[in-house]
Amino acid sequence: MTQSEIDTIIEEYERKESAILAILQRIQSKEHYLPKEDLEYVSQKLNIPLSSIFRIATFYNALSLKPRGRHKIDVCLGTACHVRGGEKILEKLERELKISVGETTKDKRFSLDSVRCLGCCSLGPVAVIDGQVYGRLTQEKIPSLLKEFK
Amino acid sequence: MKIRTKMDLERMKEKGLEILYPKGIKLSVGMATCGISTGAQKVYETIQNEVEKSKLPILVNQTGCIGFCQREPVVDILEPGKPRVFYQEVTPEKAVRLVHEWMENRVVTDWLFFKMEDEEWVVENRCWGYRIEHQPQGLDGISLYHQVPFYRKQLKIALRNCGLINPDHMEEYIARGGYFPLYKALHEMKPEEIIEEVKRSGLRGRGGAGFPTGQKWESCRKAKGNIKYVLCNADEGDPGAYMDRSVLEGDPHSVIEGMIIGAYAIGAHEGFIYVRDEYPLAIQKLQTALRQAEEFGLLGDDILGSGFSFKINLFRGGGAFVCGESTALMASIEGKVGEPRAKHIHTTESGLWDRPSNLNNVETWNNIPVIISRGSEWYSKIGTEKSKGTKVFSIVGKVNNTGLIEVPMGITLREIVYEIGGGIPEGKRFKAVQTGGPSGGCIPESLLDLPVDFDR
Ligand SMILES: Cc1cc2nc3c(=O)[nH]c(=O)nc-3n(C[C@H](O)[C@H](O)[C@H](O)COP(=O)(O)O)c2cc1C
Ligand code: SF4
Ligand code: FES
């Protein structure tokens, strides 16, 4: 992100230190990760030690220090989805994308993660792609679903 | 336009009634997260296109969640003079057909779910009847809402508006009695009276620990300091639990109204709603609701002409389970790592930025307007001696009917599993049932007849 873009975001939050999580989330959603230079710039602008920012960046699952894919897939492995075959969905995705959970495809198209219960248990197994929930998944539905994301 | 007087509120109510029960046909699609995940968005778009293409006199509307998860997507049609009809498991193809059949005065009975001839308005203690003039063909034998086993034993207080209003229309919330309790609280009650009323109601926190809400408010009101905060915990993280999300997505104003009343009672002028990162739709509905509330003077300075000021900030979590814990949640809002701290000091005395802070769960806040409107005497008659009111549960797992239910405290697990849940599929034997909460666990058959409440 350019420095002026970061400035705009920081201004939007009235330069409040407490908005650090929200600011990092904004960078994350644009860049799909938190570039080191951006964190250094935020640290300087908000006068928060870089070490604290790194701690926050590693604490929250929504943030990542490694580059992630353009599309974020989260497979639910909560109790109900587990019972209904969440693992099978995850396995199928790993095979289709040729990556393991926690990784990103080489072309940066997808990142694959698992999440705790999303609250759609009765529609399990469930996965979320870019914030949109997909329920009643089967292994067969996966390939065509992936095609929707470029 | 700011709402300042009771007359203004009445006028908004009139407007709300006109869109809730329009003169023509209204079709609503249940579009909470789960509905969308099973294709409600496509159903909605398809119906809209069809209505446009065929120039049908139908208003296409969105609503929240009616609770019967298994039967999603759910679509309902409301036409003056007829019962309201709910269809289940609707696909885009089915949707097109049912719309055309309706125009020819027929209902497609195969996909019928139930019909409704009146609505309970719990805030006003009123039954709103639809004035049925004739029953379309095929509807005679269809169950009424109250007769469907899944709904029969339910009592909806927290979920009072979910699935029946468009959460983006504040007028509809007002039409069903919303924000009148706030008016009453600000103009007719002293803060102490409100706290007394909440204490007498017996309401206990719905976030897990079951702490008496009125008592918590009182200690926060009495705590030293000019600046105080009220907070709403919407970090919902227990597996299988999604009641808070349904309330936020289907009826966000109920939580906002509860928080304003609480802030007035406690003496706070700023509040925070902490929403779980994985709930983008809830965040969106809250943003819209907060904006409307500000625009109409229900948040901001001089609320409803009472002189009281209060604002609410929305805070989006970062995806970390411990942030549901009160001290971790406050640390997270302060911009720190969301780690719990030792609780020698109560957060009601020293919480967010070391100021007195009162945190309640979504469902706790959402009960407040009803308690203020109907009174503690009425509320405390529901439930058991020590656990008052209702509780929203999700029933998931191996039962015939899965969904989101609201039942009076004290109901037995047997009633929940066998009557509302419709029993175990294919006559399998009961093994165990799981209940939510950090305190939840597996309950074997021998305990099925125990009443459900906080102390078990
Ligand atoms: C690990 C942990 C997670 C929690 N998660 C939640 C949560 O997601 N939502 C919630 O309302 N309370 C949660 N709580 C309870 C809160 O700490 C707090 O008691 C509650 O929000 C108070 O509101 P209430 O009095 O209205 O119940 C959690 C507690 C712990 C220890
Ligand atoms: S909670 Fe159940 S009824 Fe409500 S939207 Fe989700 S699936 Fe539908
Ligand atoms: S366990 Fe997957 S949504 Fe609840």
Side-chain angles (χ1 to χ4, degrees):
Chain A
M1 214 177 238
T2 64
Q3 298 199 337
S4 75
E5 280 174 304
I6 298 179
D7 286 339
T8 318
I9 296 175
I10 291 178
E11 288 307 322
E12 235 178 86
Y13 292 98
E14 297 165 3
R15 321 184 115 256
K16 275 193 211 143
E17 214 185 302
S18 63
I20 182 72
L21 176 57
I23 293 168
L24 298 184
Q25 276 170 324
R26 292 276 295 271
I27 300 177
Q28 172 84 35
S29 77
K30 167 125 195 294
E31 303 292 333
H32 309 296
Y33 81 114
L34 301 172
K36 188 150 180 287
E37 316 76 73
D38 292 7
L39 295 185
E40 281 164 357
Y41 188 67
V42 172
S43 156
Q44 198 189 339
K45 289 289 279 190
L46 285 180
N47 213 357
I48 302 176
L50 193 58
S51 60
S52 309
I53 295 192
F54 271 114
R55 244 164 72 75
I56 289 170
T58 44
F59 178 80
Y60 293 105
N61 301 334
L63 305 174
S64 160
L65 293 169
K66 277 188 306 193
R68 314 293 337 258
R70 290 191 297 283
H71 305 290
K72 183 169 154 44
I73 308 180
D74 289 319
V75 182
C76 180
L77 294 182
T79 323
C81 285
H82 170 82
V83 171
R84 287 165 187 252
E87 264 86 5
K88 288 221 179 72
I89 300 301
L90 187 60
E91 276 164 29
K92 177 75 180 172
L93 280 163
E94 288 181 328
R95 258 180 288 135
E96 286 286 317
L97 300 173
K98 302 193 180 64
I99 52 173
S100 306
V101 63
E103 294 180 350
T104 301
T105 55
K106 277 217 184 64
D107 59 3
K108 297 275 183 293
R109 193 165 141 219
F110 290 108
S111 293
L112 182 61
D113 284 294
S114 65
V115 281
R116 62 203 165 95
C117 179
L118 290 160
C120 300
C121 308
S122 46
L123 307 171
V126 168
V128 183
I129 309 182
D130 297 342
Q132 159 95 46
V133 178
Y134 295 85
R136 294 182 190 141
L137 286 176
T138 58
Q139 289 198 332
E140 291 70 43
K141 285 187 189 163
I142 300 292
S144 63
L145 183 58
L146 290 179
K147 283 208 187 81
E148 290 179 30
F149 300 89
K150 289 291 161 252
Chain B
M1 192 208 88
K2 301 262 188 225
I3 302 173
R4 297 182 57 85
T5 63
K6 194 117 178 207
M7 273 297 282
D8 295 344
L9 209 50
E10 295 284 358
R11 264 197 294 270
M12 277 302 260
K13 180 178 178 130
E14 283 304 313
K15 240 167 96 186
L17 287 173
E18 278 164 29
I19 42 178
L20 256 188
Y21 312 108
K23 293 209 171 65
I25 306 172
K26 182 169 94 167
L27 180 149
S28 309
V29 185
M31 290 182 67
T33 293
C34 319
I36 292 177
S37 81
T38 49
Q41 184 75 37
K42 280 221 177 75
V43 169
Y44 178 78
E45 285 162 12
T46 308
I47 296 177
Q48 258 190 335
N49 288 341
E50 190 60 29
V51 162
E52 236 165 79
K53 202 179 73 197
S54 311
K55 302 211 167 40
L56 304 173
I58 297 180
L59 180 74
V60 187
N61 178 49
Q62 301 190 359
T63 180
C65 150
I66 194 85
F68 210 153
C69 305
Q70 217 172 10
R71 310 291 174 88
E72 293 280 335
V74 172
V75 166
D76 82 80
I77 303 185
L78 177 67
E79 182 179 346
K82 296 180 185 175
R84 185 174 195 159
V85 176
F86 287 74
Y87 297 91
Q88 56 187 346
E89 291 172 7
V90 179
T91 59
E93 298 74 43
K94 286 184 182 176
V96 170
R97 215 187 109 198
L98 69 85
V99 164
H100 284 288
E101 300 264 342
W102 185 271
M103 295 314 295
E104 284 158 30
N105 203 19
R106 279 195 308 270
V107 285
V108 190
T109 44
D110 294 357
W111 314 323
L112 267 185
F113 188 2
F114 57 80
K115 62 181 178 186
M116 209 181 241
E117 295 187 345
D118 50 44
E119 287 172 22
E120 213 39 52
W121 284 10
V122 70
V123 180
E124 294 184 8
N125 188 19
R126 190 164 150 191
C127 181
W128 179 273
Y130 290 152
R131 278 194 215 95
I132 312 297
E133 278 146 24
H134 82 283
Q135 296 271 351
Q137 220 182 343
L139 263 190
D140 307 334
I142 297 300
S143 298
L144 280 165
Y145 170 80
H146 309 281
Q147 297 165 337
V148 179
F150 182 76
Y151 289 112
R152 198 162 48 209
K153 289 221 161 163
Q154 294 199 45
L155 172 61
K156 297 204 175 188
I157 296 177
L159 300 178
R160 55 193 179 273
N161 291 321
C162 284
L164 294 175
I165 63 168
N166 183 328
D168 291 336
H169 295 163
M170 190 176 73
E171 304 90 323
E172 298 186 22
Y173 176 73
I174 294 177
R176 295 180 102 253
Y179 287 119
F180 283 88
L182 175 65
Y183 189 90
K184 176 177 171 185
L186 293 179
H187 287 280
E188 295 160 28
M189 294 171 85
K190 290 201 192 68
E192 292 80 5
E193 284 172 331
I194 295 173
I195 291 179
E196 200 46 43
E197 198 64 13
V198 175
K199 272 167 86 177
R200 268 203 300 259
S201 74
L203 176 68
R204 292 169 64 178
R206 301 296 195 239
F211 194 84
T213 305
Q215 205 178 312
K216 197 193 268 185
W217 288 18
E218 187 167 53
S219 56
C220 196
R221 174 163 185 88
K222 288 188 173 151
K224 283 200 190 73
N226 298 328
I227 300 180
K228 297 179 181 178
Y229 300 108
V230 293
L231 299 96
C232 174
N233 192 340
D235 196 47
E236 194 163 61
D238 293 335
Y242 45 88
M243 37 274 182
D244 296 348
R245 190 190 62 197
S246 286
V247 169
L248 295 173
E249 289 178 355
D251 193 16
H253 283 285
S254 65
V255 179
I256 296 173
E257 184 178 6
M259 287 180 75
I260 310 171
I261 295 173
Y264 170 68
I266 288 163
H269 299 287
E270 190 168 358
F272 291 84
I273 306 180
Y274 191 99
V275 191
R276 195 179 156 185
D277 179 50
E278 292 92 338
Y279 283 0
L281 188 62
I283 293 174
Q284 193 193 320
K285 296 292 160 196
L286 273 170
Q287 276 167 339
T288 306
L290 288 170
R291 207 180 46 236
Q292 289 168 340
E294 282 161 15
E295 189 183 323
F296 288 96
L298 298 161
L299 285 171
D301 290 330
D302 192 17
I303 296 172
L304 289 175
S306 68
F308 176 67
S309 321
F310 179 61
K311 68 170 187 183
I312 295 181
N313 308 291
L314 197 58
F315 195 96
R316 181 172 177 186
F321 178 64
V322 299
C323 288
E325 193 277 333
S326 55
T327 57
L329 183 147
M330 292 178 198
S332 182
I333 294 179
E334 289 173 10
K336 304 197 183 104
V337 166
E339 277 165 351
R341 64 155 207 229
K343 275 194 239 182
H344 329 288
I345 318 169
H346 285 291
T347 49
T348 46
E349 276 157 34
S350 176
L352 190 59
W353 290 297
D354 299 327
R355 303 225 157 94
S357 307
N358 180 89
L359 172 71
N360 282 119
N361 167 263
V362 170
E363 204 185 318
T364 315
W365 286 121
N366 138 306
N367 266 278
I368 297 294
V370 188
I371 293 175
I372 294 302
S373 168
R374 301 285 297 270
S376 56
E377 199 175 321
W378 167 80
Y379 192 84
S380 62
K381 285 204 187 94
I382 305 164
T384 65
E385 197 199 326
K386 293 215 171 107
S387 301
K388 300 299 186 191
T390 56
K391 179 75 194 93
V392 183
F393 282 100
S394 45
I395 359 182
V396 292
K398 297 210 155 61
V399 287
N400 281 318
N401 307 330
T402 57
L404 196 66
I405 63 164
E406 181 172 359
V407 286
M409 295 276 190
I411 194 171
T412 64
L413 278 171
R414 184 180 300 281
E415 287 170 284
I416 294 182
V417 174
Y418 285 95
E419 294 185 40
I420 299 175
I424 319 290
E426 294 145 30
K428 285 206 184 90
R429 237 177 54 82
F430 180 87
K431 283 206 204 97
V433 54
Q434 208 203 348
T435 59
S439 48
C442 278
I443 296 167
E445 183 167 16
S446 56
L447 298 179
L448 265 183
D449 289 310
L450 282 183
V452 172
D453 62 22
F454 280 113
D455 302 308
R456 249 174 286 266

